[in-house]
Amino acid sequence: MRPEGTIEVEETLRATLRDVLGLSPERVAAFDAATPLFGALPELDSMAVAGLLTELEDRLGILIEDDDIDGETLETFGALTRFATDKALQ
Amino acid sequence: MIDHYDWPGGREAMLRFGPADGPVVVMLLPLFEEANRTRCFAVTLLRLLAARGIGGMLPDLPGQGESEISVEDTSLSFWNDAVSSACEAAGQDRYLATVRSGALLDGEPVAKGCWRFAPQQGDQLLHELGRTARVAAAEGGQPIDLNDIDLPGPPMEIAGNRLPRAMLRDIRLARIGGPAPTRTVRLASDPQPADRHVEGTPLWRRAEPDNDAALAALLATDLADWVQSCEG
């Protein structure tokens, strides 16, 4: 089932970060909108970003163009959640 | 046990597990980088199958794994030839089991059935290769535009692999499918249709090779039960 609401998208994003970066469920569950991601998580290097975006495409049934992503998209968990929600529910 | 098989282009190594008589599962890893991240998992799965009395083989494809051939001298049709040869070495009651893009190589009628875990279509694989290449270019690597695969030119280097343009064009068109009976299993996080969805980790996404013993055990049971049901 593809996510159909904002909460489902946020939970999908949490699960994807956990699975792609190998983070513990507890750590990911503690993420809030202000939690910094790119530059703050050593696991999230450029190649991991590529894997994360592709896995989000698969799980959310969306297509992400390189131009869609800018410096702010991956800055915080809140920003990435907004981006994923806009894409998935548009 | 380390063994080998001969294919029309030479000889490649393969690992063998369990009994050689009775049904034998020939496992195909994903193509390229994802093979490194799933190999340990595949070995765990094949050992569990062997413990249930089902033989297993994990062949290196030409230009992959420990092969002496360079990947730029290979093609999808070479790989199909190699899969046919590896299957012949497995005896009559052979089954193909594939992980991710390995399913692109199970279309020839060379096995009694094809079991697929998280199969990935050719265009999806090309999409990922393109993204990987763009990330590498952004970090100072050679810029690559996958639109250029239709133009003549040298192989394109993506994640350390020099891939011929003809191979990339073949991958773009490659579709999973064939005449043999199939079973498809996907992770619960994957919304695509499957015969079964199971909880587990997408190990092919991890930066470092990892394993998932619970998932390997679950899939070994699924695969063994399916092979036994096919054998009647």
Side-chain angles (χ1 to χ4, degrees), chain B residues 208-226:
Chain B
E208 300 296 330
D210 202 349
N211 210 339
D212 184 336
L215 179 62
L218 204 156
L219 292 181
T221 301
D222 190 277
L223 178 50
D225 288 349
W226 182 71

Side-chain angles (χ1 to χ4, degrees), chain A residues 19, chain B residues 37 40-42 44-45 48 117 187 198-203 206 209-219:
Chain A
D19 288 346
Chain B
R37 301 177 198 165
C40 180
F41 174 73
T44 304
L45 205 165
L48 291 166
F117 177 50
L187 290 177
V198 296
E199 294 293 337
T201 315
L203 296 165
R206 290 284 171 82
D210 202 349
N211 210 339
D212 184 336
L215 179 62
L218 204 156
L219 292 181

Side-chain angles (χ1 to χ4, degrees), chain A residues 61-89:
Chain A
I62 59 176
L63 190 63
I64 301 172
E65 304 289 348
D66 291 0
D67 295 345
D68 296 339
I69 303 289
D70 59 26
E72 291 172 6
T73 315
L74 290 154
E75 204 171 330
T76 61
F77 182 69
L80 187 56
T81 304
R82 274 194 301 281
F83 170 80
T85 306
D86 288 349
K87 276 277 176 189
L89 305 181

Side-chain angles (χ1 to χ4, degrees), chain B residues 2 33 36 39 48 56 89 134 140 146 172 193 196 201 226:
Chain B
I2 298 173
E33 176 60 26
N36 301 324
R39 188 176 177 86
L48 291 166
R134 288 191 296 277
L146 282 185
R172 181 174 58 193
R196 183 180 181 193
T201 315
W226 182 71

Side-chain angles (χ1 to χ4, degrees), chain A residues 16 20 46-56, chain B residues 128 131 205:
Chain A
T16 309
V20 173
S46 303
M47 274 304 163
V49 168
L52 177 68
L53 296 179
T54 309
E55 189 68 15
L56 281 176
Chain B
E128 280 198 47
R131 178 166 276 150
R205 295 281 182 223

